[in-house]
């Protein structure tokens, strides 16, 4: 049974205290600040010291009561949130709303400019498969996309999924991050939908020709699914009560029966499903940051027992596809840190039969492969920039060149085996996304269609740069910079600095209309490509695993200081922003160097890692987190987490302005992490800057659903940044 510090709390004391909190009357000991009287006194949640901790580690937490006794019940139904915690959330939200209310005209200005910039920037990318072009488009009168297709030889558009129609009347509706899929025979269209934001996905399948719903009763899945080549069977991933993926099922869509074909007892693994590009196999892939195991289900016999490619082993990661009558395997085997490509016979897929095809080359990180009938395209990263490389069966290569100093490429899934071109999107922080087609016959790359110029936006009015900051240990950290053309490097422009740095996820130098709106206000926007991502290959993120994590934080600080030294910014005029695991970065730099920042935006931040790791066995991310953050059962690893844990590292200090956000239904980063962090920071700060938390009662880890919600949130973030940098709040009361 799960236990926590709530068990030590006097519930009657808590209820009485929360009534006082709602009235805003709780007193807080400490020195009074000379505050501007126009601002309200923030909520003063009661301190209830509780001894918490697992695995032999104990510590005192004043706000442990903010963790629900049954968090998983709250994920399923946010309305069941404990009344005292709900009152605390309501009070914090009311305070944040009051503090941000005067910035609403600025938010509206930023939002209007972003929408003007974005107008015409929507570039639907079409993927060719089976005689159709598949795409999604954004209707002007909807907050949600429409998925559609059109015959390659001409003909009327067919609507596959109108997300707005599905979302109508619901408080929340989101599709799985893996995307939508059509069956290889072009007859079915499927998607996974989340109706609460808590990561519980229902899988739906529709017959395209008739509109008849084929699957409507899979409501407790982890989200990933794949079709067999004949369109009769649906393979899908199940989940346990803690949100861990724990099984793979085969649904016969003719009679509705499900058969379990894999049971996963180890919660340290994610499970993902895909159909190979050739349509020859369904791949069941079990993976985490350290190990992989893949199984194949042949398309010629979809009810056959899955075939093991290579069993999981520590330090072995691989992915598998099918090309030229053999398996192609992208792997780091034999110390191929930045990956190499090997081949194996279909009849003998094990590691002992793997043969090197594209050798490992340090500094050339092969991120993905895309097989077509006669050509294979590699996605690579070199010098912190993405590349596309074509390969023929004869081994000859051709690389696609791009002009921008920093840019982003995106290759959508679902591209047909016999397609004549690879479809991809090219963009940069100053260039709106544009669909391109890479001809597989000769390697020619060109825009897929003409795009009308946007009279409200001229990309030529902006400077885009890529520079590097050198860290104390000699690493060169890339920084992408966007400014208005001609902005002097005199330290007067405020800086908005973004970072992530976890899980090997690269931060793309992508176009964001909201950032253009901010830059138009005289700001500089920069991305710090810190260690933890894979911009410089696998070592760029493996070096920060477990007891190396602080390098992510010191990299970010080094980038900020370098930008100050070079005149792009000034100390105390920088606002930092990070999301999710990037929120851990925000919490760390907030406590490590509060003097550098005017403000920090911690979006769904992982700022209470000790608390989360105490309960990793019941957390939806489960044991998958241990290779990343460390194992709290190992004393040295626990001590290292404790040495940087933002919540635990808060001390009396002059903290900058803070906006921490969360969602009650977020299953990845629990809402009480940003809530507790903001409350504790406010209780300890010696400065007069606002410390705010905003906890949504609908939506999940990705925020509220719909395009408008994301645009409005970004405008709010940027307005907060401007107010923080310009010290518009003056000195606010803290207690």
């Amino acid at each position: 049974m799960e236990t926590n510090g709530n068990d030590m709390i006097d519930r009657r004391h808590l209820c009485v205290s929360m009534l006082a909190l709602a009235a805003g009357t709780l007193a807080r000991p400490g020195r009074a600040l000379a505050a501007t009287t126009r601002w309200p006194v923030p909520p003063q949640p009661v301190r209830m010291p509780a001894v918490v901790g697992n695995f032999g580690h104990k510590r005192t937490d004043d706000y442990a009561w903010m963790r629900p006794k049954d968090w998983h019940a709250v994920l399923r139904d946010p309305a069941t949130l404990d009344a005292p915690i709900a009152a605390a959330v309501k009070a914090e939200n009311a305070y944040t709303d009051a503090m941000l209310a005067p910035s609403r005209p600025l938010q509206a200005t930023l939002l209007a400019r972003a929408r003007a910039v974005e107008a015409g920037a929507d570039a639907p990318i079409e993927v060719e498969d089976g005689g159709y072009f598949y795409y999604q488009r954004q209707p002007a009168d909807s907050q949600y996309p429409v998925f559609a297709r059109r015959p390659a030889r001409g003909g009327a558009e067919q609507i596959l999924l109108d997300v707005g129609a599905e979302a109508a009347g619901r408080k929340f509706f989101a599709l799985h991050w893996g995307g939508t899929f059509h069956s290889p025979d072009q007859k079915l269209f499927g998607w996974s939908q989340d109706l609460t934001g808590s990561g519980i996905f229902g899988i739906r399948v529709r017959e395209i020709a008739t509109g008849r719903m084929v699957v409507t009763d899979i409501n407790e899945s982890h989200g990933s699914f794949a079709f067999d080549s004949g369109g009769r069977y649906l393979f899908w991933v199940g989940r346990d009560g803690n949100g861990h993926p724990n099984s793979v099922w085969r649904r016969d869509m003719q009679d509705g029966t499900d058969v379990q074909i894999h049971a996963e007892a180890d919660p340290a693994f994610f499970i993902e499903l895909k159909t190979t590009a050739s349509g020859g196999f369904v791949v069941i892939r079990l993976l985490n940051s350290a190990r992989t195991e893949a199984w194949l289900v042949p398309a010629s016999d979809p009810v056959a027992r899955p075939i093991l490619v290579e069993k999981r082993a520590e330090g072995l990661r691989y992915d598998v596809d099918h090309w030229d009558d053999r398996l192609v395997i992208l792997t780091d085997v034999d110390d191929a840190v930045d990956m190499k490509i090997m081949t194996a016979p279909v009849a003998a897929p094990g590691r002992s039969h793997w043969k090197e095809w594209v050798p490992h080359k340090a500094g050339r990180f092969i991120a993905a492969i895309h097989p077509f009938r006669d050509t294979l395209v590699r996605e690579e990263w070199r010098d912190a920039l993405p590349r596309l490389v074509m390969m023929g069966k004869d081994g000859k290569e051709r690389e696609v060149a791009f002009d921008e100093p920093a840019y982003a490429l995106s290759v959508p899934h679902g591209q047909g085996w016999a397609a004549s071109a690879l479809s991809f999107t090219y963009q940069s922080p100053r260039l709106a996304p544009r669909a391109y087609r890479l001809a597989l016959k000769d390697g020619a790359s060109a825009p897929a269609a003409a795009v009308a110029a946007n009279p409200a936006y001229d990309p030529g009015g902006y400077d885009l740069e890529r520079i590097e900051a050198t860290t104390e240990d000699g690493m060169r950290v890339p920084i992408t910079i966007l400014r208005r053309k001609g902005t002097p490097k005199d330290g007067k422009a405020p800086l908005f600095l973004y970072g992530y740095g976890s899980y090997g996820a690269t931060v793309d130098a992508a176009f964001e209309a909201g950032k253009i709106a901010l830059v138009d206000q005289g700001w500089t926007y920069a991305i710090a490509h810190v260690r933890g991502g894979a911009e410089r290959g696998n070592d760029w993120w493996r070096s920060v695993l477990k007891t190396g994590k602080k390098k992510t934080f010191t990299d970010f600080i080094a980038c900020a200081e370098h930008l100050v030294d070079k005149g792009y910014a000034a100390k105390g005029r920088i606002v930092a922003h990070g999301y999710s695991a990037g929120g851990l970065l925000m919490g760390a730099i907030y406590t490590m160097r509060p003097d550098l920042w005017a403000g920090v935006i911690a979006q769904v931040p992982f700022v209470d890692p000790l608390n989360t790791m105490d309960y990793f066995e019941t957390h939806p991310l489960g044991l998958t987190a241990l290779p990343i953050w460390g194992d709290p059962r190992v004393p040295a690893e626990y001590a290292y987490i404790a040495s940087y844990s933002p919540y635990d590292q808060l001390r009396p200090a002059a903290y900058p302005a803070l906006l921490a956000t969360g969602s009650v239904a977020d299953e990845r980063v629990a809402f009480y992490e940003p809530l507790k962090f903001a409350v504790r920071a406010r209780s300890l700060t010696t400065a007069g800057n606002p410390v705010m938390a905003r906890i949504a009662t609908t939506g999940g880890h990705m925020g509220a659903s719909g395009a408008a919600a994301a645009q409005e949130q970004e405008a709010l973030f940027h307005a907060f940044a401007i107010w923080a940098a310009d010290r518009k709040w003056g000195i606010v009361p803290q207690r």
Side-chain angles (χ1 to χ4, degrees), residues 30-54:
R31 179 174 59 86
L33 293 170
T36 305
T37 57
R38 65 180 289 200
W39 304 115
V41 175
Q44 307 294 306
V46 64
R47 291 175 174 172
M48 287 191 169
V51 177
V52 300
N54 275 329

Side-chain angles (χ1 to χ4, degrees), residues 235 250 261-262 282 284 295-298 303-309:
F235 297 83
R250 183 185 66 238
I261 62 171
H262 178 82
V282 170
I284 302 169
W295 298 74
L296 305 176
V297 178
V303 298
R305 185 186 299 273
I307 303 164
L308 176 66
V309 175

Side-chain angles (χ1 to χ4, degrees), residues 112-127:
R113 175 57 179 157
R115 286 175 171 167
V117 169
E118 200 165 43
D122 182 26
I125 182 168
E126 299 184 329
V127 297

Side-chain angles (χ1 to χ4, degrees), residues 351-523:
R351 179 175 171 180
S352 62
H353 299 281
W354 295 1
K355 293 183 179 180
E356 187 174 278
W357 183 36
V358 179
H360 173 254
K361 183 178 180 181
R364 180 192 65 184
F365 170 50
I366 305 176
I369 55 177
H370 304 281
F372 294 85
R373 183 171 53 198
D374 298 314
T375 308
L376 185 142
V377 181
R378 304 195 307 258
E379 286 187 70
E380 299 180 351
W381 280 77
R382 297 197 306 276
D383 298 322
L385 290 172
R387 322 275 177 159
L388 292 177
V389 180
M390 289 177 54
M391 296 181 62
K393 292 181 179 180
D394 57 3
K396 293 182 179 179
E397 298 185 355
R398 182 194 299 262
E399 183 173 328
V400 183
F402 301 97
D403 297 330
E404 287 288 84
Y407 56 88
L409 304 176
S410 176
V411 180
H413 68 258
Q415 310 213 32
W417 178 247
S420 60
L422 170 84
S423 297
F424 68 96
T425 299
Y426 172 58
Q427 60 184 305
S428 82
R430 65 180 172 188
L431 293 182
R434 192 167 185 183
Y436 275 71
R437 285 174 63 79
L438 173 62
L440 299 176
K441 182 178 180 180
D442 58 12
S445 175
V451 177
N454 181 354
Y457 175 67
D458 175 14
Y462 301 82
D463 284 328
L464 178 63
E465 301 173 71
R466 169 64 65 83
I467 66 171
E468 294 176 340
T470 302
T471 65
E472 288 186 357
D473 60 350
M475 294 294 104
R476 295 178 297 112
V477 182
I479 308 172
T480 300
I481 303 171
L482 179 71
R483 304 180 299 148
R484 286 288 302 183
K485 187 173 289 294
T487 301
K489 297 178 186 177
D490 57 6
K492 294 182 179 179
L495 171 69
F496 193 96
L497 184 61
Y498 181 82
Y500 184 72
S502 287
Y503 295 107
T506 55
V507 179
D508 292 330
F511 182 81
E512 297 180 56
K515 293 300 183 294
I516 298 296
L518 180 64
V519 169
D520 284 348
Q521 294 282 328
W523 280 61

Side-chain angles (χ1 to χ4, degrees), residues 187-256:
K187 294 180 179 179
L188 303 173
F189 189 80
W191 66 93
S192 294
Q193 60 187 35
D194 181 353
L195 303 183
T196 64
S198 60
I200 302 172
F201 289 94
I203 297 176
R204 300 292 181 263
V205 177
R206 173 178 287 142
E207 187 176 61
I208 296 174
T210 65
R212 178 178 66 91
M213 294 302 299
V214 178
V215 175
T216 60
D217 59 341
I218 300 176
N219 296 315
E220 294 278 338
S221 85
H222 202 261
S224 185
F225 69 92
F227 293 105
D228 82 306
S229 60
R232 174 172 177 175
Y233 295 99
L234 177 77
F235 297 83
W236 60 278
V237 178
R239 67 193 301 277
D240 65 19
N242 291 320
H244 304 148
N246 69 343
S247 54
V248 179
W249 299 80
R250 183 185 66 238
R251 161 67 63 93
D252 185 332
M253 290 184 286
Q254 290 187 1
D255 62 22

Side-chain angles (χ1 to χ4, degrees), residues 467-468 481 488-491 560-569:
I467 66 171
E468 294 176 340
I481 303 171
K489 297 178 186 177
D490 57 6
E561 292 179 326
H562 184 70
L563 290 165
V564 170
D565 290 343
K566 296 300 181 181
Y568 290 96

